[in-house]
Amino acid sequence: MTTVYFVRHAEPNYENHDDRTRELSPKGMEDRRLVTKFLSDKKVDVVLSSPYRRAVDTVSEFAESQGLAIRIVEDFRERRIDSEWIADFLSFSRAQWADFDYRLLDGECLREVQERNIRALNSVLEEYQGKTVAVGSHGTALSTIVNYYDRRFGYQEFDKIRALMPWIVRFTFDGKNCVDMKQYDLFGEKGNDM
């Protein structure tokens, strides 16, 4: 069995509109301690992350505490929305969840994000079979992974976790077959089956 903990990043600084360099807010820096505490007894063998700073920063304290290096996996990055900042994110998100092929001119549709993230996850499952892996991730990217294994996860479920940062989903795999998913609200630290 392989266990993968996907860690949605803590609260970012929304004043920084550059996806790659957007850092955590002061609250996000504080809240990443919840990630460190949660993962500390999980016997994590490997820490991977999206290349985006907020994802790396969310898992970096944990990785340092365990003496683990963070390996960047480009394909775990968040969905590209467009070359411009989108003010009405909710309407855009609803449109994307209603049609997985909907995208703006310079952006990605959810189908592309899902295919890219699942391809990266399958590579991880091959390389780290039988290990426990933590991955610094993002809300939409992670939600498309959950949707891949459970098509019932749609816009309503995404909307419920939209403000939940950090958020962790544990996937358990037998080979490449997902046999269990559980989500964790770190502020209540309760796990729920998905």
Side-chain angles (χ1 to χ4, degrees), residues 145-160:
I145 295 170
V146 172
N147 170 269
Y148 180 84
Y149 295 108
D150 183 355
R151 297 292 184 197
R152 294 171 298 177
F153 190 98
Y155 178 75
Q156 286 184 330
E157 291 71 28
F158 172 75
D159 193 48
K160 289 176 187 171

Side-chain angles (χ1 to χ4, degrees), residues 151-194:
R151 297 292 184 197
R152 294 171 298 177
F153 190 98
Y155 178 75
Q156 286 184 330
E157 291 71 28
F158 172 75
D159 193 48
K160 289 176 187 171
I161 62 91
R162 191 169 42 86
L164 192 54
M165 296 177 264
W167 174 54
I168 294 179
V169 179
R170 184 195 72 201
F171 297 82
T172 305
F173 294 92
D174 182 359
K176 290 186 182 175
N177 182 36
C178 182
V179 296
D180 186 55
M181 282 191 295
K182 186 173 282 219
Q183 64 177 328
Y184 297 89
D185 172 356
L186 299 188
F187 296 96
E189 208 174 303
K190 60 181 180 182
N192 297 314
D193 291 328
M194 298 188 79

Side-chain angles (χ1 to χ4, degrees), residues 47-62:
V47 180
L48 310 174
S49 183
S50 152
Y52 292 6
R53 182 175 172 189
R54 61 194 181 275
V56 173
D57 285 353
T58 299
V59 296
S60 65
E61 182 183 75
F62 167 73

Side-chain angles (χ1 to χ4, degrees), residues 77-138:
R77 70 189 179 277
E78 180 62 297
R79 162 215 45 209
R80 179 173 167 79
I81 294 175
D82 199 5
S83 53
E84 301 293 323
W85 182 258
I86 301 299
D88 188 1
F89 180 75
L90 289 182
S91 294
F92 170 73
S93 285
R94 273 191 219 100
Q96 284 212 302
W97 282 97
D99 176 2
F100 256 47
D101 293 312
Y102 175 79
R103 67 183 185 87
L104 299 177
L105 184 63
D106 290 332
E108 290 179 289
C109 67
L110 293 187
R111 187 173 320 284
E112 292 169 314
V113 176
Q114 185 179 67
E115 288 172 356
R116 174 169 48 75
N117 275 268
I118 293 299
R119 185 174 59 244
L121 176 55
N122 283 333
S123 293
V124 167
L125 293 174
E126 288 173 12
E127 186 171 352
Y128 300 110
Q129 186 174 2
K131 303 284 188 186
T132 299
V133 181
V135 181
S137 187
H138 304 272

Side-chain angles (χ1 to χ4, degrees), residues 66-84:
Q66 302 297 305
L68 298 169
I70 298 173
R71 181 180 146 212
I72 300 300
V73 179
E74 185 68 31
D75 279 349
F76 280 139
R77 70 189 179 277
E78 180 62 297
R79 162 215 45 209
R80 179 173 167 79
I81 294 175
D82 199 5
S83 53
E84 301 293 323

